[in-house]
Amino acid sequence: MFKIKPVEKIPVPENVKRYLKEAIGEHKVLDDEMDRMLYSYDATRLSVPPDVVVIPESEEDVQKVVKICYENDIPITPRGAGSGYTGGSIPVKGGVLISFEKMDKILWIDEDNAVAKVQPGVITYKLQQAVEKRGLFYPPDPASYKFCTLGGNVAENAGGPRCVKYGVTREYIMELDTVIYTGDIIHTGRITLKDVAGYDITRLLIGSEGTLGIFTGITVKLIPKPKAKKTVKAVYMDLESVGKTVKDIFKAGISPSALEFMDKLAINAVEDFGHFGLPRDAEVILLIEVDGHPKALEDEITEVARICEQNGAKVEIAKTDREAEKLWEARRSLSPAVAKLGRTKINEDIVFPRSYLPEALPRLREIGKKYNLKMVNFGHIGDGNVHANFMINGLDPDEVARAEKAVEEVFELALSYRGSITGEHGVGITKAEFMRKQFSPQEMEIMRKIKRVWDPKNLINPGKMDLD
Amino acid sequence: MFKIKPVEKIPVPENVKRYLKEAIGEHKVLDDEMDRMLYSYDATRLSVPPDVVVIPESEEDVQKVVKICYENDIPITPRGAGSGYTGGSIPVKGGVLISFEKMDKILWIDEDNAVAKVQPGVITYKLQQAVEKRGLFYPPDPASYKFCTLGGNVAENAGGPRCVKYGVTREYIMELDTVIYTGDIIHTGRITLKDVAGYDITRLLIGSEGTLGIFTGITVKLIPKPKAKKTVKAVYMDLESVGKTVKDIFKAGISPSALEFMDKLAINAVEDFGHFGLPRDAEVILLIEVDGHPKALEDEITEVARICEQNGAKVEIAKTDREAEKLWEARRSLSPAVAKLGRTKINEDIVFPRSYLPEALPRLREIGKKYNLKMVNFGHIGDGNVHANFMINGLDPDEVARAEKAVEEVFELALSYRGSITGEHGVGITKAEFMRKQFSPQEMEIMRKIKRVWDPKNLINPGKMDLD
């Protein structure tokens, strides 16, 4: 787990560094020790320093850098905020890392067509705030939304709690400007809801983890901001009733804007961390948010509460926005709270078809017990996306070895239900060896050949997704 | 327009016919004159007979046929209902046509996960009826929904009036089983809302017009059936107010489930055809449907009516389902009504970004006047998708020549607003020559190379989309 296969690193020769500096300006090309270290890691805490860090300020800068690197056989790795969980922005082969921190402008917001165009370095939250002021809404909300960037969101096809109702990043990208290996820019997609000319290159690029081209412009779809929302907390003493509740809510024709769960260990971790007043003896807590038209909302939240109660839960509807916010604060504090349980957090984001969760979750816990590991499960039960966390001492080789086996079994469990090894985090380097478990040799071959169409020399974010 | 570039047709040698018959059974392989003619055309009325028609009854049949054809250099063209408007299912190079009429089973409906799996020959309406009985909903509603097939819908990424609220076919496809050129099957996608492992091959296949592989299984996403719906008719005397109305509706945070328009000539064609009581002197009629929770709906339909009135329209809310149905009947009768206006209907489905419509629509009409052609415009104003119809006498060479020039200008107009040459119909053969207007040489090259990954010998639905 979390090891980087030793690969030959490709140094950037002095003459290429000079070309880069001449092409885009000396101050945008960094190569001292400290800068290289600063751009060497992501949220996995794995680290490989690039040979050179480039901070472009325009699309033209990116074009020049890609052209120079490609002609000189230098690997190129794009990086947003470095908040990824699978090493996608780690320059495993060295070379040039392109950081988008200065390409952070919202270029325009078109209210009439409900679209906005941003540079890839714009922080997701910044876009959300800007459009909400105008009564519009950009739904995708990865946990890192306050610091991650839209470039990274597109590369990873980011999700979040709200995606159960609103869909993932893929559903909100209308157009992409992408620098391809030749240094040319391609413009794919349209700001129209319908456009069926040619292959859907835009969606091939979304979720490609920066391995096909480098995004320089992103046009997003916006929707009307929901007029109101309400939150219900439901406390369960058994898991089966939770599964039944989820089924019943969808059967009632209600599409919640969030449907989150935390298990007992997660509840206790949160309580140790922040004293939110959650019941420590509960088996599972569900947090359910419904949004929409105020009148429909009133009906729907009452119906949700009734369904939870019918399934044996102790139910509370948050009376004020303040009360609701406190519940969501507890949910958001899960990540830091869980991190306190061990030195090293292994955070896997597997997916099950929703209806199999009541059966799969106990089997997931069994894996933790079998390998004698501290395991915390929480996540997006409405879309079957479970964050299975092992909290280990990364310095204990025996514990690490057990965790490696456990992670493999976790993936196998998800795939045995025809789920996925990743719902939000992507594959990057940490899940690369598991691609072959999810995909057949023919499927892998097609993906590798597509990679080669876009990157004949394998220099664009190489070493990721088992596509080399 | 509507000409087929003369290409060398590839005959199927006797020995290959024998292989096919031995592999899947004699009765599934047709090659008499009549059968070849029956499968030679689509809704363009263009016609090229295949050399052999194959009617597979299982996935294995399809695999065997593709393997035999590919090994023997025989072109393969898949066909659903043959209801396409761009010649996508016409076997321009002859060879083998695969018709899916016997692979027409709904394989299962999984209510708990809100998904269903179908064979490609299932008629869209049949699926919709089956899931609506269980309180579920499959939104995509191309005009041909009563006879088109899901295989064709996926190949063309079909749209329809409801897509303004619910999105196009792309948004409802979870998994695809696809026979690739080797005869192997690949299984792409997951029935989970989130899955970010590997490239998004499923969405590359959606809208690929049968040029990458042959679908044998399709798993669709379902949503809760809307609880209620209401329709408003709004009659306008000028176009500008129509554009303003559309803007105001979306600004009010209302997402209509259909927002259709017809211009004066369309209104009169419909009245000549069926006497629906529409005002013949109106410049434009809007039909607006809102669906959802009954309480929210009451508020929203009142608000929509108010917005229309504020913009000078004469407004009527349908009081009963029966009244609403009559309005939609008028809308649906547009296609046959317009067909009566001339021998040959040229139906282009261009797209404009929504907000440019009030400016673009008069310019569209100008093109009709300039070339002295009867022109009828209607379509999905909510998503900017306009059906621009020229009604001509296809036997008059002068009129045909004028229409050809007019169509080219129509596409140029759409592209000048960064719209698209097609919102629903696809490219096929009739729009192939216009691909280069919408895409740059680099973009065309990437698409051609991707085609070659899936089809190294250019035998899978060849001659389409300018990708040869």
Side-chain angles (χ1 to χ4, degrees):
Chain A
M1 115 204 15
F2 287 15
K3 272 177 309 211
I4 295 181
K5 255 195 257 169
V7 287
E8 208 194 329
K9 290 191 56 188
I10 297 164
V12 181
E14 284 309 316
N15 64 326
V16 176
K17 286 187 193 172
R18 206 172 50 241
Y19 300 156
L20 289 170
K21 287 176 182 172
E22 283 166 8
I24 65 168
E26 203 145 332
H27 63 291
K28 302 179 196 165
V29 182
L30 317 174
D31 63 350
D32 73 29
E33 187 68 23
M34 180 60 101
D35 287 319
R36 293 172 52 226
M37 284 313 296
L38 275 171
Y39 293 92
S40 68
Y41 63 90
D42 73 354
T44 57
R45 304 193 198 173
L46 291 169
S47 162
V48 179
D51 228 36
V52 171
V53 177
V54 168
I55 320 272
E57 294 177 10
S58 69
E59 191 165 77
E60 293 69 37
D61 283 354
V62 179
Q63 289 185 272
K64 286 174 190 165
V65 171
V66 170
K67 197 168 157 61
I68 291 170
C69 289
Y70 220 85
E71 284 175 359
N72 290 281
D73 299 319
I74 307 295
I76 307 155
T77 302
R79 185 182 199 266
S83 55
Y85 268 124
T86 52
S89 65
I90 293 178
V92 285
K93 288 201 177 174
V96 165
L97 183 133
I98 305 182
S99 175
F100 286 94
E101 61 209 66
K102 290 213 171 147
M103 288 180 67
D104 63 346
K105 316 281 174 303
I106 297 176
L107 298 174
W108 43 258
I109 298 173
D110 172 349
E111 292 183 48
D112 289 333
N113 290 302
V115 288
K117 183 162 184 177
V118 301
Q119 291 186 311
V122 168
I123 289 168
T124 310
Y125 183 54
K126 194 181 146 192
L127 171 68
Q128 287 171 335
Q129 282 188 306
V131 303
E132 286 183 31
K133 266 185 215 151
R134 304 180 189 211
L136 293 166
F137 190 49
Y138 177 75
D141 57 345
S144 53
Y145 73 110
K146 287 214 172 162
F147 44 95
C148 65
T149 66
L150 281 152
N153 290 178
V154 174
E156 303 293 324
N157 188 13
R162 292 202 289 237
C163 298
V164 63
K165 175 167 180 176
Y166 290 105
V168 292
T169 300
R170 183 179 65 212
E171 269 84 54
Y172 292 88
I173 304 303
M174 306 293 275
E175 296 181 332
L176 287 175
D177 302 335
T178 306
V179 175
I180 61 173
Y181 71 98
T182 54
D184 291 309
I185 291 209
I186 61 167
H187 303 278
T188 59
R190 284 293 187 260
I191 65 163
T192 59
L193 291 173
K194 289 177 183 165
D195 166 32
V196 294
Y199 295 144
D200 194 343
I201 301 299
T202 307
R203 271 152 209 90
L204 180 61
L205 290 167
I206 297 167
S208 65
E209 305 196 8
T211 63
L212 300 179
I214 314 291
F215 310 136
T216 53
I218 300 164
T219 310
V220 302
K221 179 173 112 174
L222 305 169
I223 60 173
K225 197 183 162 195
K227 294 192 169 92
K229 56 186 178 181
K230 292 219 165 196
T231 299
V232 158
K233 179 184 76 177
V235 178
Y236 291 83
M237 292 302 165
D238 72 304
L239 199 58
E240 219 163 281
S241 312
V242 173
K244 183 80 171 38
T245 301
V246 172
K247 274 189 205 182
D248 290 349
I249 289 173
F250 286 104
K251 273 223 171 117
I254 295 167
S255 183
S257 50
L259 213 172
E260 300 286 299
F261 86 106
M262 34 184 141
D263 74 358
K264 189 180 271 181
L265 202 49
I267 296 164
N268 280 280
V270 164
E271 278 306 304
D272 289 343
F273 183 79
H275 309 292
F276 293 96
L278 303 178
R280 286 177 180 270
D281 59 333
E283 195 63 33
V284 171
I285 292 180
L286 286 187
L287 288 183
I288 309 164
E289 186 192 82
V290 182
D291 70 4
H293 190 284
K295 286 185 187 164
L297 186 61
E298 206 53 61
D299 263 27
E300 291 191 343
I301 202 77
T302 313
E303 177 70 1
V304 166
R306 198 190 58 73
I307 289 170
C308 294
E309 267 168 5
Q310 209 168 46
N311 283 293
K314 249 188 78 185
V315 178
E316 227 174 278
I317 302 180
K319 280 180 214 68
T320 60
D321 286 356
R322 180 79 202 79
E323 251 184 71
E325 186 43 41
K326 208 178 159 198
L327 289 171
W328 289 105
E329 219 173 277
R331 167 64 184 84
R332 275 196 298 271
S333 74
L334 255 170
S335 249
V338 168
K340 286 202 159 183
L341 297 179
R343 274 175 201 274
T344 308
K345 182 172 86 165
I346 300 171
N347 172 0
E348 297 303 349
D349 69 319
I350 46 171
V351 189
F352 299 92
R354 191 163 74 204
S355 75
Y356 301 139
L357 276 176
E359 186 185 313
L361 282 174
R363 294 184 63 190
L364 201 56
R365 286 185 182 178
E366 280 305 314
I367 296 172
K369 278 186 205 147
K370 177 175 166 190
Y371 291 102
N372 193 25
L373 295 167
K374 212 176 269 178
M375 189 181 198
V376 182
N377 296 305
F378 61 90
H380 320 299
I381 199 167
D383 52 35
N385 187 196
V386 178
H387 292 277
N389 296 272
F390 294 108
M391 307 313 311
I392 67 165
N393 176 355
L395 301 175
D396 175 349
D398 180 64
E399 200 158 292
V400 169
R402 279 182 281 128
E404 278 178 8
K405 281 190 191 151
V407 165
E408 194 164 341
E409 283 193 27
V410 163
F411 290 143
E412 275 162 6
L413 183 68
L415 293 175
S416 75
Y417 286 98
R418 208 167 150 69
S420 176
I421 59 171
T422 174
E424 298 179 324
H425 297 170
V427 173
I429 46 181
T430 64
K431 299 193 183 191
E433 62 177 304
F434 301 103
M435 283 287 280
R436 287 169 219 217
K437 284 189 190 285
Q438 183 154 342
F439 297 101
S440 73
Q442 290 92 342
E443 290 153 12
M444 287 302 298
E445 200 195 330
I446 285 172
M447 288 195 260
R448 288 204 184 101
K449 284 186 182 165
I450 288 175
K451 163 78 169 158
R452 253 168 268 150
V453 165
W454 294 79
D455 181 15
K457 293 184 183 177
N458 193 31
L459 294 171
I460 299 179
N461 205 2
K464 309 293 160 71
M465 298 168 86
D466 196 24
L467 295 178
D468 289 356
Chain B
M1 117 204 13
F2 288 15
K3 273 176 309 215
I4 294 182
K5 255 195 258 171
V7 287
E8 206 195 332
K9 289 191 55 186
I10 298 163
V12 181
E14 284 308 317
N15 63 326
V16 176
K17 287 187 193 170
R18 205 170 53 242
Y19 300 155
L20 288 169
K21 288 176 182 170
E22 283 166 8
I24 65 169
E26 203 144 336
H27 63 291
K28 303 177 195 165
V29 181
L30 317 174
D31 62 352
D32 73 31
E33 188 68 20
M34 181 61 103
D35 287 318
R36 292 172 51 226
M37 284 314 294
L38 275 172
Y39 292 92
S40 69
Y41 63 90
D42 72 355
T44 57
R45 302 192 199 171
L46 292 170
S47 161
V48 178
D51 229 38
V52 171
V53 177
V54 168
I55 319 271
E57 293 177 12
S58 68
E59 191 164 77
E60 294 68 38
D61 282 354
V62 180
Q63 289 184 273
K64 286 175 190 164
V65 171
V66 170
K67 196 170 157 59
I68 290 169
C69 289
Y70 220 85
E71 284 174 359
N72 290 281
D73 299 319
I74 307 295
I76 307 155
T77 301
R79 186 182 199 267
S83 54
Y85 268 124
T86 53
S89 65
I90 293 178
V92 283
K93 289 201 177 175
V96 166
L97 183 132
I98 305 183
S99 175
F100 286 93
E101 63 209 66
K102 290 215 170 144
M103 288 180 68
D104 64 345
K105 315 280 174 303
I106 297 175
L107 298 173
W108 44 257
I109 298 173
D110 172 351
E111 293 183 47
D112 290 332
N113 290 302
V115 289
K117 184 163 185 176
V118 301
Q119 290 186 315
V122 168
I123 289 168
T124 310
Y125 183 55
K126 193 181 148 194
L127 171 68
Q128 287 171 336
Q129 283 188 304
V131 303
E132 286 183 30
K133 265 185 215 151
R134 304 181 190 210
L136 293 166
F137 191 48
Y138 177 74
D141 56 344
S144 53
Y145 73 110
K146 287 212 172 159
F147 43 93
C148 64
T149 66
L150 281 153
N153 290 179
V154 174
E156 304 293 324
N157 189 15
R162 293 202 289 237
C163 297
V164 63
K165 175 169 182 177
Y166 291 104
V168 293
T169 300
R170 182 180 65 212
E171 270 83 55
Y172 293 88
I173 305 303
M174 305 293 275
E175 296 181 332
L176 287 175
D177 302 335
T178 307
V179 175
I180 61 172
Y181 71 98
T182 55
D184 291 308
I185 291 209
I186 61 167
H187 304 278
T188 59
R190 284 292 187 262
I191 64 164
T192 60
L193 293 174
K194 289 177 184 165
D195 166 30
V196 293
Y199 295 143
D200 194 342
I201 300 300
T202 307
R203 271 152 208 90
L204 180 62
L205 290 166
I206 297 166
S208 66
E209 305 194 8
T211 63
L212 300 179
I214 314 292
F215 310 135
T216 53
I218 299 165
T219 311
V220 302
K221 179 173 110 174
L222 305 169
I223 60 174
K225 196 182 165 199
K227 294 191 168 92
K229 56 185 178 182
K230 291 221 165 194
T231 298
V232 158
K233 179 184 76 176
V235 179
Y236 290 83
M237 291 303 164
D238 71 305
L239 199 59
E240 217 164 281
S241 312
V242 174
K244 181 81 172 37
T245 302
V246 173
K247 273 189 205 183
D248 290 348
I249 289 173
F250 285 104
K251 272 224 171 115
I254 295 166
S255 183
S257 50
L259 212 173
E260 300 286 300
F261 86 106
M262 34 186 141
D263 74 359
K264 190 180 271 180
L265 202 50
I267 295 163
N268 280 282
V270 164
E271 278 305 306
D272 290 343
F273 184 80
H275 310 292
F276 294 95
L278 302 179
R280 285 176 180 271
D281 59 334
E283 195 62 34
V284 172
I285 292 180
L286 286 188
L287 288 183
I288 309 164
E289 185 192 84
V290 182
D291 70 3
H293 190 285
K295 286 186 187 165
L297 186 59
E298 206 52 62
D299 263 26
E300 291 191 344
I301 203 77
T302 312
E303 176 71 2
V304 166
R306 197 191 59 74
I307 289 170
C308 294
E309 267 168 6
Q310 209 170 44
N311 283 293
K314 249 188 79 184
V315 178
E316 225 174 279
I317 302 180
K319 279 180 213 69
T320 60
D321 286 355
R322 180 80 201 78
E323 251 184 69
E325 186 42 41
K326 207 178 159 200
L327 289 171
W328 288 105
E329 220 174 276
R331 167 64 184 87
R332 274 195 299 269
S333 74
L334 255 170
S335 248
V338 167
K340 286 203 160 183
L341 296 180
R343 273 174 202 274
T344 308
K345 182 172 85 165
I346 302 171
N347 173 359
E348 299 302 348
D349 69 320
I350 46 170
V351 188
F352 298 92
R354 191 164 73 205
S355 75
Y356 302 138
L357 276 176
E359 186 186 312
L361 282 175
R363 296 183 63 188
L364 201 56
R365 286 186 183 177
E366 279 307 313
I367 296 172
K369 278 186 207 148
K370 177 175 168 189
Y371 291 101
N372 191 24
L373 295 167
K374 211 175 271 178
M375 188 181 198
V376 182
N377 297 305
F378 62 89
H380 320 300
I381 199 167
D383 53 33
N385 187 195
V386 178
H387 291 277
N389 296 272
F390 294 108
M391 307 314 311
I392 67 165
N393 176 356
L395 301 176
D396 175 348
D398 180 63
E399 198 157 294
V400 168
R402 280 182 280 128
E404 279 177 9
K405 282 189 191 150
V407 165
E408 193 164 340
E409 283 193 28
V410 163
F411 289 143
E412 275 161 8
L413 184 67
L415 293 175
S416 75
Y417 287 98
R418 209 170 149 66
S420 176
I421 60 172
T422 173
E424 297 179 324
H425 298 170
V427 174
I429 46 181
T430 64
K431 299 192 184 193
E433 61 177 304
F434 300 103
M435 282 286 279
R436 286 169 219 215
K437 285 190 191 283
Q438 183 155 343
F439 297 101
S440 74
Q442 289 92 343
E443 289 153 13
M444 288 302 298
E445 200 195 329
I446 286 172
M447 288 194 261
R448 289 205 184 100
K449 284 185 181 165
I450 288 174
K451 164 80 169 158
R452 253 168 267 150
V453 165
W454 295 78
D455 181 14
K457 293 184 184 177
N458 192 30
L459 294 171
I460 300 180
N461 205 1
K464 309 293 160 72
M465 299 168 86
D466 196 24
L467 295 179
D468 287 358

